[in-house]
Amino acid sequence: MRKIYFILFSLILGSGLFAAIPEAGQQYYIKNTEAGLYLKATDAGITVDYLLAGSEEFQFEFTASGEEGYYILSTHNGSRYFVRDQNDNWICYISDQIGEGESSLIKLTEAENNTFIISFKQNEPQGLGLDSREPGSTVYTDKQDGNAPWWILEEVPDVIELKVLSFTPEDQAVEVSHTDALKIAFNNLITLGNGALVTIQDADNNSVGGIVCEILETGNVLSIAHDQFDAETTYTVTVPVGTIKEYQEEIKWSFTTDQMAVTPEPGKVYKIKLEDTDTYFTVHEGDPESDHLWRNNTDNGQDNQKFVFEWKEGTTDKYALRVLSGGYLGYNEGGAPTTTTQPAYYFSYEILGGYILLITWNEIDEMLGYVGPYGKGEDNWIHGNKPLGDSFQRWKLIDTGIVTDLPRPQESGNITLSVSGKEVCLQGVEEETIEIHTIEGKFVTRTQNTCFTLPQGFYILKAGPETFKAIIK
């Protein structure tokens, strides 16, 4: 693919800058050099995305406007036109008609590093730029330095060679999800041939079952669903010739899966990390009575990112989440996620490969929803009432190595539990056999002694109808 920076010749402008002149009748891809993404025009709007070379949504043409130094920018073969909104001067859109007056006049002005700025005449010297460097970013007309206003042109070739653009997960990736579908993105539209040819095998040639292949809606991505992977295992994916009708080479790549999810042990202190990001569940400072305090932020080493799971009384599957900096995760009267002085909301979890899903419950055991933010970036609000599958909901518990005592009194009926080092005493037990279980419910032993020693661990003690929890450090 030939890249066009400034071709034919340059005209010295009154501003002292140079204007690039594209070839008449040539179709171009327009690449944003900061984001590495390409301009894309659809009925839904003008955005940027990974290049789908065979799609006309990525192909553009510059036509002389009749006013020196300015062009009309249109989609493939001049079918539709870029127009600047006359009411909201930072917005542009695609129209079947050239805009009135100067609203479709475009200039290409030389910038740094052999790039150029694409400006609507009414926005000069500002140009087309992005609100983020992610696929799907909106393109605005009034951007300058810091908002990715730099572009290059690439000629659309007569024949487009089908190529693999990316693997998800990447080749040789580590800490890969146990459940997510695998994906291969191509630079052009593809057709599924025989998906049954695809194999996923570990180093001992054990095959993963449940493989289902499909082409995603974009038309250029092969998705490979599968049964759950084993933890900390290296797999190799083989996509033979015949899987994709248009692709005549075997595709192979490998990756290693994540460890099994860490699950909470009451009394231990954890950080709660969002999926594969570097952001953590954070409780912000603010007014608990009115402010939304749950956010995701990068690691700050502070106690507002450290949490203790405490059993809900009478259960071993629901927890109050105590913040080490003070208070419990909950909601205020306005419905905003905040902290409360006493537990009023509770959490359970589901294991999803190397992650857990956190689920919220009210005091009467009504499920409220799943915990997650609206984005992976810095300082997104986290909610606890989201439906399953909505946005980002997978978390990793990071054990800090800190162990803290459970603050609630261990009393039930006439029996009181006390723990001193490894010695456990149940006072008030009368002629009862005490059963000792692990936190997972596994039976350990029975005793009629009211005081006894236990090794380090987390235990459930049953004395008749009464149940206690003990942490032995």
Side-chain angles (χ1 to χ4, degrees):
M1 183 183 300
R2 185 159 66 96
K3 295 181 180 179
I4 308 300
Y5 297 99
F6 303 101
I7 58 177
L8 299 184
F9 56 95
S10 295
L11 295 176
I12 298 178
L13 305 179
S15 63
L17 299 176
F18 293 85
I21 302 179
E23 297 180 28
Q26 174 64 52
Q27 305 297 303
Y28 293 100
Y29 305 125
I30 303 178
K31 182 179 182 180
N32 186 278
T33 57
E34 287 286 295
L37 301 170
Y38 289 79
L39 198 65
K40 179 181 179 182
T42 69
D43 289 337
I46 301 169
T47 183
V48 289
D49 208 338
Y50 297 112
L51 177 63
L52 180 54
S55 171
E56 294 181 0
E57 293 177 340
F58 292 88
Q59 299 177 17
F60 302 96
E61 182 176 343
F62 293 85
T63 306
S65 68
E67 183 170 341
E68 186 174 352
Y70 292 92
Y71 297 86
I72 303 297
L73 177 57
S74 62
T75 58
H76 179 77
N77 288 325
S79 52
R80 304 185 75 188
Y81 304 93
F82 276 61
V83 179
R84 173 188 178 273
D85 193 294
Q86 296 303 287
N87 295 315
D88 297 319
N89 60 12
W90 63 89
I91 295 174
C92 58
Y93 58 90
I94 295 296
S95 173
D96 292 329
Q97 304 293 325
I98 296 176
E100 295 181 0
E102 298 179 339
S103 61
S104 282
L105 296 184
I106 293 279
K107 178 185 286 182
L108 281 67
T109 305
E110 183 180 9
E112 298 177 353
N113 300 318
N114 292 326
T115 64
F116 57 85
I117 296 171
I118 303 175
S119 301
F120 280 93
K121 183 175 182 180
Q122 296 166 319
N123 288 94
E124 291 184 84
Q126 298 170 327
L128 300 186
L130 311 179
D131 62 350
S132 78
R133 288 161 174 77
E134 301 294 327
S137 168
T138 300
V139 175
Y140 294 103
T141 65
D142 60 346
K143 298 300 183 182
Q144 299 186 66
D145 291 1
N147 296 106
W150 301 288
W151 307 83
I152 59 173
L153 303 186
E154 297 177 353
E155 287 187 358
V156 176
D158 295 331
V159 178
I160 298 171
E161 179 185 356
L162 185 63
K163 296 180 180 179
V164 173
L165 291 180
S166 65
F167 297 110
T168 305
E170 295 179 352
D171 188 29
Q172 305 304 319
V174 296
E175 298 185 355
V176 170
S177 164
H178 301 190
T179 56
D180 286 355
L182 313 176
K183 296 175 185 175
I184 310 173
F186 294 83
N187 69 334
N188 209 342
L189 301 176
I190 54 175
T191 309
L192 183 63
N194 185 1
L197 298 174
V198 174
T199 61
I200 306 172
Q201 295 182 314
D202 64 17
D204 296 322
N205 295 321
N206 298 310
S207 295
V208 176
I211 293 176
V212 177
C213 295
E214 64 172 332
I215 307 301
L216 298 186
E217 187 177 352
T218 56
N220 70 313
V221 177
L222 173 67
S223 174
I224 306 170
H226 52 83
D227 290 345
Q228 182 167 311
F229 294 141
D230 292 334
E232 299 179 278
T233 302
T234 298
Y235 290 97
T236 297
V237 186
T238 303
V239 181
V241 174
T243 305
I244 301 298
K245 290 183 178 179
E246 298 85 356
Y247 199 73
Q248 301 306 311
E249 296 180 26
E250 181 181 77
I251 300 171
K252 257 188 186 183
W253 86 102
S254 299
F255 52 83
T256 302
T257 53
D258 200 358
Q259 64 183 3
M260 282 302 293
V262 174
T263 55
E265 296 181 35
K268 284 191 172 184
V269 178
Y270 298 94
K271 294 190 292 185
I272 305 176
K273 186 171 185 267
L274 177 63
E275 297 195 356
D276 57 351
T277 72
D278 61 354
T279 61
Y280 295 80
F281 199 121
T282 307
V283 177
H284 275 223
E285 294 183 1
D287 183 355
E289 300 299 321
S290 60
D291 293 342
H292 188 127
L293 301 185
W294 301 6
R295 309 284 180 88
N296 60 314
N297 290 105
T298 53
D299 189 4
N300 62 19
Q302 304 302 309
D303 286 349
N304 65 340
Q305 290 184 335
K306 297 173 184 175
F307 302 87
V308 182
F309 286 76
E310 299 178 1
W311 280 292
K312 179 184 179 184
E313 285 299 322
T315 76
T316 55
D317 63 348
K318 293 186 179 68
Y319 307 83
L321 262 176
R322 177 161 59 95
V323 191
L324 214 58
S325 59
Y328 291 85
L329 295 185
Y331 284 81
N332 57 35
E333 290 186 1
T338 183
T339 56
T340 56
T341 55
Q342 294 296 322
Y345 289 85
Y346 299 91
F347 298 80
S348 63
Y349 65 87
E350 296 175 3
I351 296 175
L352 190 63
Y355 301 96
I356 63 170
L357 304 176
L358 289 172
I359 306 162
T360 54
W361 305 79
N362 62 18
E363 287 186 290
I364 57 174
D365 279 346
E366 293 175 330
M367 179 178 167
L368 303 177
Y370 289 80
V371 176
Y374 286 112
K376 289 186 175 184
E378 178 83 2
D379 209 29
N380 276 279
W381 284 7
I382 296 173
H383 290 269
N385 57 356
K386 303 178 73 175
L388 180 61
D390 178 31
S391 190
F392 311 103
Q393 297 174 341
R394 299 181 304 181
W395 301 91
K396 280 188 176 183
L397 297 186
I398 309 298
D399 189 343
T400 65
I402 303 170
V403 178
T404 181
D405 291 322
L406 292 175
R408 298 185 193 174
Q410 292 284 292
E411 297 181 359
S412 182
N414 295 319
I415 303 173
T416 301
L417 168 72
S418 63
V419 178
S420 177
K422 292 182 169 54
E423 185 177 52
V424 179
C425 288
L426 285 171
Q427 293 148 352
V429 176
E430 297 181 1
E431 298 181 359
E432 294 281 2
T433 297
I434 299 168
E435 288 190 1
I436 303 168
H437 299 256
T438 66
I439 182 60
E440 294 84 9
K442 183 179 178 181
F443 175 75
V444 176
T445 188
R446 292 184 180 90
T447 181
Q448 290 186 324
N449 297 325
T450 56
C451 291
F452 45 89
T453 59
L454 290 171
Q456 182 178 12
F458 298 81
Y459 298 92
I460 298 172
L461 312 178
K462 296 181 179 180
E466 313 301 337
T467 300
F468 300 86
K469 299 99 178 179
I471 300 174
I472 310 299
K473 300 179 182 178

